[in-house]
Amino acid sequence: MSNSMNDDISIETEELRKRIIKTAWNGKAGHITSALSMVDILAVLYFGGVLRHDSQKADWSERDRFILSKAHGGLCLYVVLAMCGYIPMKALESYCHAGQNLGDHSNMSVNGVENSGGSLGHGLAIAAGKALSAKMKHQDYVTYVLTGDGECQEGSIWESALFIGKKKLNNLVWIIDYNHLQANSRIEGFNTLEPLADKLNDFGFNVKNVNGHDHEELYKALKIDRNCLPESPTAIIANTRKGYGIPLLEDKENWHGRLPSADEYEEIVRELGMSMEEFLNL
Amino acid sequence: MRIEYEQAIYDLMKKNQKIVALVADSGTGKYKNIQEEMSDRYIDFGIAENTMIAAASGLASEGWIPVVYGINNFLAYRSYEFIRNDLCMDKRNVKVVGIGAGVIQNMQGPTHHTLEDISCLRALPNLTILSPGSPKEVYGALEAAVNMAGPVYLRLAKLFETEVYENAPPKFKIGEVNVVHYGEDMTLFATGSIMGDAYEAAKILEKEGIYVQVVNVRSLKPVDKAEILKQARMTRKVVTLEEHNIYGGLGSIIAEILAESGEAFLFRRMGFNDEFCTEYGWHQELKRLYGLSPKHIAGMCKDIVLKDRLL
């Protein structure tokens, strides 16, 4: 197993970021900053060679499973799935349009999506069920699940963590998008998760603390040797910045689920290094 | 019904290797045998119903048939949103088996009673709801649930039910009702744990020359509207009976069917009158305190029969 990424995926990542903005603009909807927070995580998973997957066989039984528990990041997932070929790129133009199936929260009617989400605190247990099934069927797929950090205020998250730790589901990787911002304010203003690493460790996870925007760091943490699984389930604290990559949005409060105005869109497009014309033709 | 259910899940797991038994610190009796003999398909989540339901969704998505088992109220109420989102929305092949419907958890108090589960669960799209009225039909109900694709809620009583079938009950078919006592004076629709009391009430009235048609509504969703209407039309006098709140349960189901027919019926609902059962005592005693003993049921049936004669 290689310990570093073979390819530079910065071009794909940039395209992903631009298409997220374009898709939100098209649909007049979306949790833009939540999607940008997880861009690099999904880029490394899907483009960086972490996931074993085949967009032409979405239900391939040997695929690694990816559960998006923070399903308000569906905007990012959908663009990734389009870039991988699970869904046509054209489908992104129908995002949040009446009569279409691409909505703000990811749902499993979309090719390549494992489960429907939206309500927080569900995905970790669903992932546990999938990881458990792999053990029972002696399959070697790895189950990845991405939760938010605010989502970790849900009791069901810790209920599931207890179970995963107790069952030693070492074929499960739990990624926490730790951007420190929830809908109303900074997470520390509510129920701080700290000391998060200690908590996860106490629940029986092998904890990795990484820069959630550094592809090499992410790759090393995410890539699990399926032939030599770690002793414990893995929890990755991905330290991220909400709205990453766009100064107007990055690490700013009051941007959760908010849509930019026309002027703000222009600024965002500038910050993406594009002209408005280029953006509209994307 | 608990004994019959535990035997049924044990037998079906022996036959069908896809069935997985999921419990939340709730596996007693025959589950111990399952744990010992089929440990690879027995999972105890501890007191964590929500995780159990969502993990069941994950297991079902991989081709397993998880049969989740626990006290009805902890499943129906605590895990309502998990049943809704993770099972019903994604049409997962999970069977949720609740043990202890109504007030059979008699000494435990209202936190352990289940008087609102039909009401809240029947509002969930894609969910099938089965409510056997006899211990003898529990096996068939579980078998039918396992043999169909999609989420099912199996509402079971627990102990001391009066058996209404002398012989083997008719094959359990989802979406069907079944007549357990014949009579031409009025129609009594009942479901689940209180079926035996309906049957006893019919026997009491028989001695008085009043003949009650008792219909076991063992499949609440889907429900056999045509057959229910047919049974109601035979007498035009209808009483519903359930160990459940009168709001949203069997009474509401029958009322909807009768109202939509555009025809006239005399109609009464029997059940818990939008109240918690805050008393303690034996199961039969609790039902008596809340006006649901065989004598009370017989009284209501007689009343509706006599009322009709006065019209």
Side-chain angles (χ1 to χ4, degrees), chain B residues 26-46:
Chain B
S26 48
T28 55
K30 199 76 179 170
Y31 268 91
K32 296 293 175 201
N33 297 75
I34 293 172
Q35 186 179 4
E36 284 166 16
E37 297 168 34
M38 294 171 272
S39 59
D40 54 332
R41 287 185 288 135
Y42 171 87
I43 307 158
D44 191 340
F45 286 78

Side-chain angles (χ1 to χ4, degrees), chain B residues 76 86 131 189-190 207 229 245 267 288:
Chain B
D86 302 334
S131 173
F189 291 104
K207 290 174 188 158
L229 205 49
N245 196 322
F267 178 70
R288 189 185 64 77

